[in-house]
Amino acid sequence: MEVFDKILDLLEKNKIDYELKEHEPSYTSEESAKNRGEDLKIGAKALILKINEEFIMCVISAVKKINSKKLKLILKNKNLRFANINEVKEITKCVPGSVPPFGDLFNLEILIDKSLLENEFIAFNAGLLTKSIKMKKDDYLKLVDGKICDFVE
C-alpha cells in the first residue's frame, strides 16, 4: 500500500474529517502553502533526523527551523544530523517534500514541536508532491504517538 493510501485509510478508519487538495508538484513548504492557498504557518514540516544509528521524525511548523542545540539537549545526544535524500527515500518511500508527519507509518519516534500546535489546522503533503491534506491539529494528535517538545528557533 502506498503512503498516500495508508494515510487516507488511517483517516477513514478513525472517522477524521479532512480536506484533500490536488495541486502542482511542490517541493518546499513555501510552494506547498502557495499551491494549497493556505498560510505557511499551518504547514506541518516532517523532517527525518539520524541519531547515532537510529532515525526519528521531527514535526515542526513550516515557518520554523529546528534549533539543533535544543534538540540535542532534549535527546541527550550530540550525534545528530539530518537524513540524506537516499535515507529519506529508503525509510519513507517518499521523496523529500512529500514526507507526511506520520512517523508511526515508518516506525519512527515522533517529536512534535509545540509551534505546530498554535493553529487549529495543519496541512501537509501526503506522501506525494501533488496531494495535500488539511485537518484539525487535535485530530492529528489523536492519530500519532508523538512527544510534544520545544526545539525550534
Side-chain angles (χ1 to χ4, degrees):
M1 190 182 275
E2 303 259 341
V3 172
F4 175 73
D5 296 323
K6 288 180 181 179
I7 294 168
L8 290 186
D9 188 54
L10 180 67
L11 296 173
E12 296 294 332
K13 280 183 180 173
N14 288 280
K15 297 178 176 31
I16 301 293
D17 288 329
Y18 65 92
E19 188 178 329
L20 176 63
K21 293 189 178 187
E22 294 195 34
H23 50 73
E24 293 295 316
S26 40
Y27 299 88
T28 66
S29 297
E30 292 78 14
E31 288 176 353
S32 294
K34 182 180 174 191
N35 287 338
R36 285 191 293 260
E38 300 284 351
D39 193 328
L40 180 61
K41 71 180 180 178
I42 73 164
K45 191 173 357 179
L47 304 165
I48 310 293
L49 288 94
K50 187 172 185 179
I51 306 167
N52 297 326
E53 296 305 312
E54 302 211 7
F55 292 92
I56 64 166
M57 177 178 281
C58 291
V59 183
I60 64 175
S61 168
V63 295
K64 302 289 184 173
K65 293 187 186 294
I66 287 179
N67 179 320
S68 59
K69 286 182 183 178
K70 283 184 177 180
L71 191 54
K72 287 176 182 179
L73 284 173
I74 290 167
L75 297 168
K76 298 178 176 92
N77 196 317
K78 293 182 181 181
N79 191 7
L80 176 69
R81 69 167 174 82
F82 286 97
N84 64 42
I85 291 171
N86 290 332
E87 290 168 332
V88 170
K89 287 179 184 177
E90 185 178 325
I91 293 163
T92 66
K93 309 298 183 243
C94 299
V95 297
S98 70
V99 178
F102 290 91
D104 300 2
L105 294 178
F106 316 113
N107 297 314
L108 295 174
E109 176 184 355
I110 309 167
L111 298 182
I112 302 166
D113 187 77
K114 67 179 187 174
S115 65
L116 188 68
L117 311 181
E118 295 171 0
N119 303 298
E120 182 181 358
F121 291 92
I122 65 167
F124 51 89
N125 279 0
L128 300 166
L129 296 171
T130 57
K131 293 187 182 190
S132 292
I133 290 177
K134 179 180 175 183
M135 62 187 294
K136 289 188 175 183
K137 71 125 187 292
D138 291 340
D139 288 336
Y140 168 72
L141 293 174
K142 289 176 195 171
L143 294 176
V144 297
D145 183 20
K147 179 179 176 186
I148 298 170
C149 307
D150 177 9
F151 57 88
V152 296
E153 297 179 354

